Amino acid sequence: MKTAKLIEYLRVDRMPTVWCPGCGNGIIMKATVDAIDRLGLSKSEVAIVSGIGCSSRVTGYLDFNTLHTLHGRAIAFATGVKLARPDMTVIVMGGDGDMLAIGGNHFIHACRRNLNLTVIVFNNSIYGMTGGQYSPTTPTYAMASTAPYGSIEKPFDVVDLATSSGATYVARSTVYHYELTVKFIKAAIEHKGMAVVDVITNCHTYFGRYNKIPDPSEMLEQFKEKSIPLSKAEELSENELKDRIIIGEFRKVESPDFQELYKQLQEKARGEDGYKA
Amino acid sequence: MIAEKTRLAITGAEAVAHAMRQINPDVVAAYPITPQTPIVENFAKFVADGIVDTEMIPVESEHSAMSAVVGAAAAGARAMTATSANGLALMHEIVYIAASTRLPIVMPVVNRALSGPINIHCDHSDTMAERDSGWIQLFAENAQEAYDLTIIALKLAEHESVLLPVMVNQDGFIISHGVEPVEILPDDVVRNFIGEKKPRYSLLDVENPVTYGPLDLYDYYFEHKRQQVEAMENVFEVFPKVVEEFAEISGRKYNFIEPYRLEDAEHVMVALGSTNGTIKDVVDELRAEGKKVGLLKIWMYRPFPKAEIQRELYGRKTVVVLDRSMSFGAEAPLYAEVKSALYEAPAKPLMGSFIYGLGGREILPEHIRSAFEMAVAGELVVDDQKYLGLRE
């Protein structure tokens, strides 16, 4: 995507961003714009909702209908937006702490409900904005400011969580894989029903520094080395997949979304002759 | 006997983390939020280094943090957490549970504007939203006070005729992130001062089983609420003893309020938190110019020390109240309460209400001077809410 085209979708007067140099958040922001552009959606057809955290600042930079909400609550607010304006494309963007810890409840219930949302998780395995506390996706034994000798907790696998909660489109990419990220976000927007794209990104400032990979390009190189396509991963044992990032489309099923079922219910309740109590 | 002290150049957040280290709570549950975060971060290091015996859990939200702390306190543990702004708001329903189940939890609150629009800087709207929750609320002027008041709070909270939770407020960034010299007491002195926690009713006392928080409808609920009132009234008896004992070990004297150059003051400003430091400087300047001004700093906001405020404010010409929060459609919180306290005054002073510093807006000596000058010139109009440092 050409820069001239990209900036049409951005609020450049709000820049530079708060993100550290080398942060992967910008890659995900661009990939999202790229996907929207390739789909030919106009700015007024798209609403973008975010919560609180580094990645959630994205709604300040994206020149769409944007709603910057409370920590953890982006999906709940987006639910309201989607119900009021079913015609709009509603995209939720936020981090792993925001979506899976404080907002975890909203995440699983939106999946269960198969609401027609696109949820993009900026998954950097740490709370970046507040100073590097361990998050629900921090790998076991990784270091964080609240885990100076390593976290003893098990992380969430975003794909597993979304799939088992009922999301009908689930994919994972990394910021190293730009084209793949665009492809998955595009597919997620096109998908009817709850679509979750888990994008592995780098917080070299906190996660990297605490875990001896303070260089952003080195973190991206690691994403490249660790990544393995789903088709190949299926042939490998659990042991061989340890510490690997499996990328690909994990779930893509057609299933009536919440609003379709809601409409059906209304029609049934009204009956052929109109409303019947 | 005043103990030997260590003097450290630390932030308010670090000072409170040290107080927590010395308190050595059994349980800490917390969630990151700016500008509270460095308290828990520093404390996490003490936990990881084995300096404290605390079981610490970084939970998934403030709602869970306060819930875990309530559970731990009901089980007889000394349990602590710390938060700011939206974190405190998310705790709200359990904040009430903590007070009404009479659990002596101490919680440092690093004051920050309660959005929206989103703002991470200092004002008192977060803690003011909890003023009717049944917690004791203390306000620190600086890092030293934040440290001292945290230790004092623990002893006050656990006193058997109080048994109430305490919020120790410090201004976000101004105190929490500003480095100041802070005198830290020796660990054993603090431990002797706070003593061992001896819970009267513990979930872990299986010989004497109890229940916390069961359904309590029109049969006893009202009586339980009345008991909370009683406990708050007891604070007026217990707090002076606690601060007196604290003065013996530290040499630092606390009270419900701090009068500053009030002896013959005709015009008195009333405020909470760090701005009191700036006001003291302005009072000194105006005194040097021969103006009879003074300051009444509020250390304890809940319970509201009405009698002490009356004693200090009766007979003054004007009373200027500074609020770092608002009550939309009504008088500002501190102003309303000071005004109410003066209802019985034989000669009512002229009062002025000034809002300042919302969302971290800078409060400068000239702002304070302008409010004093209006008071001195007799230009105050009762209930006419004015704003310091606002573009209008």
Side-chain angles (χ1 to χ4, degrees), chain B residues 32 34 63 77 82 93 98 113 123 140 147 172-173 207 210 225 232 243 254 289 303 322 326 330 365:
Chain B
T34 305
H63 194 273
E93 65 173 339
D123 71 34
Y147 167 81
F173 292 108
E207 299 298 319
V210 292
K225 294 290 116 181
M232 274 289 186
V243 292
Y254 288 87
E289 293 165 23
L322 260 56
M326 286 199 274

Side-chain angles (χ1 to χ4, degrees), chain A residues 75-90:
Chain A
I75 291 174
F77 278 85
T79 301
V81 173
K82 188 67 192 173
L83 292 181
R85 287 292 301 271
D87 56 310
M88 285 186 90
T89 294
V90 182

Side-chain angles (χ1 to χ4, degrees), chain A residues 51-52 68-71 73 97-98 101-102 127 129-134 145-146 148-149 153 210, chain B residues 31-34 37 40-41 44-45 48-50 56-62 86 90 112 115 118:
Chain A
I52 296 289
H68 194 175
T69 71
L70 299 165
H71 194 30
R73 313 298 153 204
D98 185 61
I102 196 164
Y127 288 94
M129 183 160 273
T130 49
Q133 295 78 15
Y134 72 83
S145 67
T146 42
Y149 296 118
E153 295 184 22
Y210 279 114
Chain B
Y31 188 77
I33 185 164
T34 305
T37 310
V40 171
E41 220 171 77
K45 288 197 189 90
D49 291 342
M56 185 178 159
I57 178 141
V59 287
E60 65 281 358
S61 77
E62 288 88 355
N86 297 61
L90 187 56
R112 154 183 158 180
S115 314
I118 298 166

Side-chain angles (χ1 to χ4, degrees), chain A residues 267-276:
Chain A
E267 280 165 10
K268 195 178 160 192
R270 286 194 185 111
E272 283 174 15
D273 315 322
Y275 179 73
K276 280 177 193 163

Side-chain angles (χ1 to χ4, degrees), chain A residues 49-52 69-80 92 95-119 121 156 161-162 165-167 194-196, chain B residues 31 60-61 63 90:
Chain A
V49 187
S50 70
I52 296 289
T69 71
L70 299 165
H71 194 30
R73 313 298 153 204
I75 291 174
F77 278 85
T79 301
V92 184
D96 42 287
D98 185 61
M99 297 259 199
L100 306 169
I102 196 164
N105 207 23
H106 304 305
F107 181 86
I108 56 172
H109 288 281
C111 290
R112 182 180 63 75
R113 213 172 264 137
N114 197 26
L115 199 68
N116 192 6
L117 297 176
T118 297
V119 174
V121 183
F156 270 140
L161 184 68
S165 303
M194 177 74 169
V196 176
Chain B
Y31 188 77
E60 65 281 358
S61 77
H63 194 273
L90 187 56

Side-chain angles (χ1 to χ4, degrees), chain B residues 303-324:
Chain B
F304 193 69
K306 185 179 157 186
E308 284 72 18
I309 287 169
Q310 287 176 333
R311 197 175 58 237
E312 297 297 345
L313 294 185
Y314 276 11
R316 310 291 176 180
K317 273 191 186 164
T318 62
V319 172
V320 178
V321 184
L322 260 56
D323 274 275
R324 200 163 194 155

